[in-house]
Amino acid sequence: MRLAHEQELDAPRDAVWANFMDLRRIGRCFPGAKVTEVHGDDFVGEIKAKLGPLSMYFDGTGSMVERDEDGGRARLTATGQERHGLGKATIDITLTLRATGTDDRTRAHLVTDLVFLGFPMDFGTGLVQRASDPLIERFLSCMAVSGAVPDAEADDEGSLDLVRSASDLLGSFRRDRRERKRR
């Protein structure tokens, strides 16, 4: 499944690039993720995702496989295994940064190729795209912040809540439908 996100960030291109090159920061900025080890361009990490009252934990490894600072392009790949189940996931993320017309803003384009196997994630690409939009928006906004980013809290507030994302998505469908009826 391929997802694409584009967002204009309130930060200079060089600052956003530097933040994306910090693998630990990537883990702190993505909801539910934590990078536990970094060795050069390789990392080890985990993601906690909630599906209603159920919590799923994935352990994985990954690498920054491409860094083209002049072209503003980076690529990261990772694979993960569900701790207490048969679920597996692979992800390939390509980031492209472009300057806007001003020095203090950057356009970020993120393309994500996802493969999920063995757990209840059989949604259509359109649904996953819309549900992921707010998560990626938060992630990209965090990557534009200068200075240190605190680690996610150990409680459930730091996990990736799939039901809340789906509820937010359903709420947006209802709003869209109400707006169409008013027209």
Side-chain angles (χ1 to χ4, degrees), residues 95-140:
L95 167 74
T96 307
L97 297 176
R98 300 279 181 249
T100 61
T102 65
D103 291 340
D104 60 345
R105 297 195 57 81
T106 304
R107 175 139 316 266
H109 182 72
L110 203 65
V111 174
T112 307
D113 289 305
L114 295 169
V115 177
F116 293 113
L117 300 170
F119 56 94
M121 290 293 172
D122 192 19
F123 300 117
T125 304
L127 181 64
V128 173
Q129 175 73 50
R130 287 192 65 178
S132 67
D133 286 347
L135 296 171
I136 298 301
E137 183 178 323
R138 277 193 343 224
F139 170 71
L140 288 172

Side-chain angles (χ1 to χ4, degrees), residues 137-154:
E137 183 178 323
R138 277 193 343 224
F139 170 71
L140 288 172
S141 295
C142 180
M143 294 306 287
V145 172
S146 60
V149 174
D151 287 326
E153 296 178 28

Side-chain angles (χ1 to χ4, degrees), residues 46-61:
E46 58 190 51
I47 287 187
K48 178 182 179 184
K50 287 179 59 177
L51 186 57
L54 244 115
S55 290
M56 297 181 294
Y57 299 86
F58 289 85
D59 295 312
T61 60

Side-chain angles (χ1 to χ4, degrees), residues 2-183:
R2 177 168 276 198
L3 305 171
H5 297 88
E6 191 158 331
Q7 184 174 335
E8 192 167 307
L9 305 173
D10 192 21
R13 182 180 176 274
D14 291 344
V16 176
W17 178 263
N19 288 343
F20 269 99
M21 295 303 106
D22 181 347
L23 295 172
R24 289 194 187 275
R25 183 183 188 100
I26 289 173
R28 287 189 300 271
C29 283
F30 195 82
K34 180 179 182 183
V35 172
T36 55
E37 296 176 37
V38 174
H39 304 283
D41 285 342
D42 301 323
F43 64 92
V44 175
E46 58 190 51
I47 287 187
K48 178 182 179 184
K50 287 179 59 177
L51 186 57
L54 244 115
S55 290
M56 297 181 294
Y57 299 86
F58 289 85
D59 295 312
T61 60
S63 296
M64 183 73 72
V65 295
E66 180 182 343
R67 293 177 191 243
D68 176 7
E69 186 171 2
D70 292 337
R73 180 180 158 93
R75 195 168 135 244
L76 182 136
T77 62
T79 59
Q81 173 75 40
E82 189 179 5
R83 277 186 200 164
H84 305 292
L86 300 175
K88 292 182 182 181
T90 61
I91 189 167
D92 188 301
I93 300 168
T94 303
L95 167 74
T96 307
L97 297 176
R98 300 279 181 249
T100 61
T102 65
D103 291 340
D104 60 345
R105 297 195 57 81
T106 304
R107 175 139 316 266
H109 182 72
L110 203 65
V111 174
T112 307
D113 289 305
L114 295 169
V115 177
F116 293 113
L117 300 170
F119 56 94
M121 290 293 172
D122 192 19
F123 300 117
T125 304
L127 181 64
V128 173
Q129 175 73 50
R130 287 192 65 178
S132 67
D133 286 347
L135 296 171
I136 298 301
E137 183 178 323
R138 277 193 343 224
F139 170 71
L140 288 172
S141 295
C142 180
M143 294 306 287
V145 172
S146 60
V149 174
D151 287 326
E153 296 178 28
D155 62 11
D156 286 344
E157 291 299 313
S159 64
L160 173 58
D161 191 337
L162 300 171
V163 169
R164 187 177 70 196
S165 295
S167 297
D168 293 346
L169 176 62
L170 291 174
S172 74
F173 283 143
R174 288 185 187 122
R175 280 190 300 279
D176 290 349
R177 199 167 123 206
R178 282 193 305 261
E179 288 174 12
R180 282 194 304 268
K181 282 183 179 181
R182 285 186 217 152
R183 292 181 203 164

